[in-house]
Amino acid sequence: MVSLFESQWLGGIVQLKNRIVMPPMTRTRTSDGDVPNALMATYYGQRAGAGLIVAEVADVAPSSKGYAKTPGLYTDAQIQGWRLVTDEVHRKGGTIFSQIWHVGRMAHPSLMPNGEAPWGVTEQPAENSDVFAHDAEGKLGYMRAGKPRRLETEEVSALVGTFAQAFANARRAGFDGVELHAANGYLLEQFMNSALNTRTDRYGGGSVEDRTRFLMEVVDAAVRELGPGRVGVRLSPFGYFNSMPEDPLAEETLLYVSEQLGRRGVAYIHLLYELMPTGNMETAEFEKHHIDHAVLAKVRAAFPGTIIWCGGFTSREQAEDALGTGLVDMIAFGRPYIANPDLAERLRHGWPLAVADRSSYYTRRGEVGFTDFPVYSSDSAVQGAA
């Protein structure tokens, strides 16, 4: 049996103290200008017991913004804000990667520069999916994603340079590495989906090489900037989140991507083992729907690096049973990390877990529902926060 508390190496470069991952979770606590702040530094520092923290996703540019109050990684102020976070995590003995994305069509004109249309692989909108934005009265709430405009070929190529600058910024901000968000219906996955990507240019969906070209060019830029062992990629094959259509070539794409990432020295693949729900994260119902283990065995055979599973894990026993399959190396605990800053110690000792109310996920109430969850105490009758 593999213990959750054994150490793990990423690419032979980054040593982690255990096999627990705190995955990226948007919390909308940034300061004006989408700048990370001291409160966020406290939040991540509290959770530095994880072997690996992947920070909440950061925008590569203003055009990347799909949700209000998400942090950026493209201005000096944002870089300095993130430095507060990484310094605090390192002071607590933790390791932290930055997750980086472009949302593509999953945006609203109110969030885009000059109110322009979101950017898409095609002009097909995410007809049944919402983003967190300002309405006509300026009130924050969920609203339907806007109709995108199709990116021109040269614009896609230019975006590779935008990502490359974000990787340099992540290094300046003190991150130990980066994770590319190529999952959950955002821009990188929009290109990889053969049903959605009806382009016919060099980034078109007609061949696996072309529909994955954008991802591979971005990965190459990340490895050039940060080196092997410091780049991960998050994937969500077979998912429908953010109105992604069913992809008849999903397995072909997954296995090709896995093999290509291994060739490029990518440290890990972060798989959404439990598929995401179709609604927004605040109201959706999570169901036990996992990727088939026969497919996961093919991923393991194709990819020589570390594999992380995320979704539905709430106990040490579940996690170690998964590790025991030999198909995975690390386990990510998402929602449990919101209300349990000391989650690693609770798992180690079998202490009970607190549960956060969903109303705290994206609120703007300062420390309430964010940094005020207590560590476990046997003298406390109540664990958690309002």
Side-chain angles (χ1 to χ4, degrees):
M1 176 66 71
V2 179
S3 171
L4 195 58
F5 294 92
E6 292 180 5
S7 63
Q8 172 72 21
W9 284 88
L10 296 181
I13 302 295
V14 180
Q15 186 175 18
L16 307 177
K17 58 192 173 187
N18 58 49
R19 295 170 183 254
I20 298 169
V21 178
M22 177 183 168
M25 292 177 286
T26 292
R27 302 302 309 278
T28 64
R29 259 61 171 208
T30 56
S31 298
D32 291 346
D34 301 325
V35 175
N37 50 44
L39 185 66
M40 291 169 60
T42 297
Y43 169 75
Y44 284 107
Q46 289 174 338
R47 290 155 177 79
L52 174 65
I53 293 174
V54 185
E56 62 201 273
V57 69
D59 296 311
V60 297
S63 66
S64 166
K65 192 166 191 60
Y67 300 86
K69 302 298 182 180
T70 53
L73 192 53
Y74 53 87
T75 71
D76 287 340
Q78 291 164 354
I79 294 167
Q80 292 165 12
W82 278 122
R83 191 82 206 199
L84 297 175
V85 173
T86 61
D87 283 350
E88 180 64 9
V89 170
H90 292 152
R91 189 178 72 82
K92 295 288 187 67
T95 301
I96 184 167
F97 277 35
S98 171
Q99 191 187 61
I100 296 174
W101 72 354
H102 193 294
V103 300
R105 68 177 184 167
M106 285 306 302
H108 187 271
S110 67
L111 297 171
M112 295 289 289
N114 303 313
E116 67 179 87
W119 295 6
V121 61
T122 67
E123 294 180 346
Q124 176 65 38
E127 295 177 339
N128 299 307
S129 295
D130 298 332
V131 296
F132 190 62
H134 293 90
D135 62 19
E137 285 73 44
K139 183 180 179 181
L140 279 172
Y142 285 101
M143 61 185 64
R144 195 51 39 95
K147 180 177 174 59
R149 70 169 182 86
R150 177 189 180 278
L151 288 168
E152 299 297 331
T153 304
E154 60 272 17
E155 290 181 296
V156 181
S157 297
L159 263 177
V160 177
T162 302
F163 272 92
Q165 183 60 57
F167 303 144
N169 293 346
R171 181 170 47 79
R172 287 177 54 202
F175 284 103
D176 299 295
V178 300
E179 177 180 293
L180 301 178
H181 197 343
N184 295 352
Y186 299 111
L187 188 60
L188 287 165
E189 188 179 42
Q190 289 164 26
F191 274 89
M192 290 192 290
N193 185 292
S194 69
L196 177 62
N197 184 352
T198 56
R199 304 169 69 100
T200 57
D201 63 357
R202 64 193 298 264
Y203 297 105
S207 73
V208 68
E209 293 84 5
D210 286 349
R211 64 179 173 268
T212 62
R213 188 183 306 278
F214 181 38
L215 172 62
M216 296 308 161
E217 290 179 352
V218 172
V219 167
D220 288 342
V223 174
R224 281 195 301 270
E225 181 62 40
L226 297 159
R230 297 188 181 276
V231 178
V233 177
R234 195 176 218 210
L235 301 171
S236 58
F238 314 108
Y240 303 103
F241 191 61
N242 285 330
S243 300
M244 291 298 285
E246 182 174 356
D247 184 355
L249 302 179
E251 183 173 337
E252 174 194 356
T253 302
L254 171 64
L255 298 180
Y256 176 81
V257 167
S258 298
E259 188 267 338
Q260 289 294 315
L261 296 182
R263 288 188 179 188
R264 286 167 161 81
V266 165
Y268 69 81
I269 291 175
H270 189 171
L271 280 171
L272 272 293
Y273 173 67
E274 179 185 76
L275 301 183
M276 295 280 284
T278 56
N280 69 60
M281 289 295 293
E282 195 168 9
T283 60
E285 292 299 322
F286 288 83
E287 299 179 359
K288 296 295 183 183
H289 183 194
H290 302 119
I291 300 176
D292 185 84
H293 278 208
V295 174
L296 294 171
K298 296 177 184 179
V299 173
R300 171 60 97 186
F303 181 70
T306 294
I307 295 175
I308 300 169
W309 286 356
C310 182
F313 293 99
T314 58
S315 72
R316 178 174 180 173
E317 291 73 23
Q318 281 181 307
E320 292 186 336
D321 284 347
L323 294 173
T325 67
L327 300 175
V328 60
D329 304 290
M330 301 185 72
I331 301 297
F333 295 83
R335 296 181 298 280
Y337 251 119
I338 293 177
N340 300 279
D342 57 337
L343 180 65
E345 287 304 298
R346 294 193 189 217
L347 294 173
R348 183 190 293 274
H349 297 290
W351 296 336
L353 302 187
V355 178
D357 188 276
R358 286 195 182 192
S359 66
S360 71
Y361 284 10
Y362 306 113
T363 56
R364 301 283 298 163
R365 293 183 291 163
E367 68 175 16
V368 177
F370 190 53
T371 58
D372 61 342
F373 292 103
V375 298
Y376 178 75
S377 168
S378 59
D379 296 328
S380 299
V382 178
Q383 300 295 315

